C-alpha cells in the first residue's frame, strides 16, 4: 500500500520516474496532464474547456481538476494505493484532496519533490518528444528512441507537445512558482516531504526515490 504524490516543475522528470515507480510498487499512475490530453484528443466537453488553458501553459480551473481526480481515485485499481503525477498543483487542490482522503480514512504516505534548475527544465521540456498514441516520453538528446521519430513501445510517431514551446514553457515555469511551489511548504509541514535531486541520471534519481520511500 503506497499513496504517493510527485511534485516538481514541468521537465523535472515526474513522468519518467512515475513509470518506474508504478512498475516497482505495482500502483497505478494517475497523471492529470495525460488524462486531460486524452480528453482534448477525444474532444469531450471537458477537453474542449481544458484546452483553452493548457495550450498557453495555464492551469485548468481547480473545480474541474478536482472532479476528474476524485472520479479516477474511486476506481477499483486505486484501492491499494496510487501515484499522482501533476496533481495537486495549487493549495486549493491540496486542501480539497486532503478532505477527500479523510472521507475515505486514507492519507498520503510521501510527497516526492524533484528539484531541478530552471535552465535544465527548459532544455528538458523543449527537447521532449512524446508518443501520440501511448504517451511514452522521449528526449532528443537524453532519451532518443531507437528509430528516429518512432515510439519504441508501440511503433507510432513521436511528436512535440503543443505546450512544450519555449514560450509556453516559460509561462508554465512562472505559474509553477506562483501556484504550485507553495505546496512544498504545505507538505513539509505535514512531515511527508522528501526532496530529490533531479539533476542526476534517470537511474540515480529513481534509486534516490526508492531510498526515500524506505520500502523495498
Ligand atoms: P508537465 O508534465 O509538463 O509538468 P502536465 O502533463 O502535468 O505537464 O500538464 C499539462 C497541462 O495540463 C498543464 O500545463 C496544465 O494546463 C494542465 N494540468 C495538469 N494537471 C493540472 C492540475 N493538477 N491543475 C491544473 N491544471 C493541470
Ligand atoms: P515531467 O513529467 O516532470 O514534466 P518528464 O518525465 O516528461 O518530466 O521529463 C522531461 C524530459 O526530460 C523528457 O524528455 C525526459 O526524457 C527527460 N528527462 C527526464 N529525466 C531526466 C534525467 N534524469 N536526465 C535527463 N533527461 C531527463
Ligand atoms: Zn507509443
Amino acid at each position: 500500500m503506497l499513496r504517493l504524490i510527485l511534485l516538481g516543475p514541468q521537465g523535472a522528470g515526474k513522468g519518467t520516474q512515475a513509470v518506474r515507480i508504478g512498475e516497482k510498487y505495482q500502483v497505478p499512475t494517475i497523471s492529470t496532464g495525460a488524462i486531460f490530453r486524452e480528453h482534448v484528443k477525444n474532444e469531450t466537453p471537458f477537453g474542449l474547456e481544458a484546452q483553452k488553458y493548457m495550450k498557453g501553459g495555464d492551469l485548468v480551473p481547480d473545480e474541474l481538476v478536482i472532479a476528474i481526480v476524485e472520479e479516477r481515485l474511486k476506481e477499483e485499481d486505486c484501492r491499494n494505493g496510487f501515484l499522482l503525477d501533476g496533481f495537486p498543483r495549487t493549495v486549493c487542490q491540496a486542501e480539497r484532496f486532503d478532505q477527500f482522503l479523510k472521507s475515505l480514512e486514507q492519507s498520503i504516505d510521501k510527497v516526492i519533490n524533484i528539484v531541478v534548475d530552471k535552465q535544465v527544465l527548459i532544455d528538458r521540456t523543449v527537447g521532449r518528444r512524446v508518443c501520440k498514441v501511448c504517451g511514452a516520453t522521449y528526449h532528443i538528446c537524453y532519451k532518443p528512441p531507437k528509430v528516429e521519430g518512432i515510439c519504441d513501445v508501440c511503433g507510432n510517431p513521436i511528436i512535440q507537445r503543443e505546450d512544450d514551446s519555449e514560450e509556453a514553457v516559460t509561462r508554465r515555469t512562472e505559474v509553477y512558482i506562483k501556484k504550485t511551489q507553495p505546496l512544498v511548504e504545505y507538505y513539509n509541514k505535514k512531515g511527508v516531504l522528501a526532496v530529490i535531486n533531479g539533476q542526476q541520471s534517470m537511474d540515480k534519481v529513481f534509486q534516490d526515490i526508492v531510498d526515500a520511500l524506505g520500502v523495498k
Side-chain angles (χ1 to χ4, degrees), residues 10 37 53-57 125 128 160-170 172:
Q10 74 293 327
R37 280 188 289 279
Y53 302 93
M54 293 170 71
K55 259 197 324 211
T125 33
R128 171 160 60 188
Q160 183 170 30
R161 267 167 52 180
E162 192 177 14
D163 60 351
D164 276 346
S165 64
E166 197 160 346
E167 195 189 357
V169 168
T170 306
R172 276 148 79 203

Side-chain angles (χ1 to χ4, degrees), residues 31-108:
S31 158
T32 42
I35 294 173
F36 296 176
R37 280 188 289 279
E38 196 60 27
H39 277 275
V40 170
K41 198 167 83 185
N42 296 330
E43 298 181 5
T44 67
F46 171 83
L48 293 173
E49 182 64 20
Q51 190 176 27
K52 296 183 202 159
Y53 302 93
M54 293 170 71
K55 259 197 324 211
D58 283 309
L59 292 181
V60 176
D62 289 334
E63 286 305 318
L64 295 175
V65 177
I66 290 160
I68 294 246
V69 172
E70 291 190 355
E71 192 183 72
R72 177 66 186 86
L73 288 177
K74 282 179 186 153
E75 283 177 36
E76 185 66 27
D77 64 336
C78 294
R79 284 180 62 167
N80 290 323
F82 51 77
L83 168 60
L84 285 166
D85 166 15
F87 177 90
R89 257 175 153 102
T90 64
V91 171
C92 170
Q93 289 178 15
E95 285 171 352
R96 286 282 299 271
F97 184 48
D98 278 345
Q99 286 166 11
F100 172 76
L101 287 176
K102 216 169 161 187
S103 75
L104 299 174
E105 295 180 359
Q106 295 180 358
S107 61
I108 288 296

Side-chain angles (χ1 to χ4, degrees), residues 156-211:
N156 283 290
I158 59 173
I159 53 158
Q160 183 170 30
R161 267 167 52 180
E162 192 177 14
D163 60 351
D164 276 346
S165 64
E166 197 160 346
E167 195 189 357
V169 168
T170 306
R171 172 86 191 117
R172 276 148 79 203
T173 307
E174 282 167 16
V175 171
Y176 183 85
I177 292 169
K178 205 165 130 205
K179 301 270 183 63
T180 311
Q181 188 83 22
L183 291 182
V184 175
E185 196 41 40
Y186 180 91
Y187 287 115
N188 192 21
K189 276 194 192 140
K190 289 183 182 287
V192 290
L193 191 76
V195 180
I196 302 289
N197 173 10
Q199 258 166 272
Q200 312 180 83
S201 72
M202 296 179 197
D203 289 345
K204 180 67 168 70
V205 174
F206 181 58
Q207 192 51 55
D208 285 1
I209 292 173
V210 172
D211 291 345

Side-chain angles (χ1 to χ4, degrees), residues 7-18 31 85 89 114 116 120-121 123-130 137-144 161 164 172 197-205:
L7 205 59
Q10 74 293 327
K14 300 182 299 296
T16 300
Q17 297 301 329
S31 158
D85 166 15
R89 257 175 153 102
I114 307 181
V116 172
V120 176
L121 292 176
D123 181 45
R124 284 193 188 170
T125 33
V126 173
R128 171 160 60 188
R129 298 291 181 271
V130 294
T137 300
Y138 301 89
H139 190 281
I140 50 171
C141 306
Y142 313 127
K143 200 191 175 206
R161 267 167 52 180
D164 276 346
R172 276 148 79 203
N197 173 10
Q199 258 166 272
Q200 312 180 83
S201 72
M202 296 179 197
D203 289 345
K204 180 67 168 70
V205 174

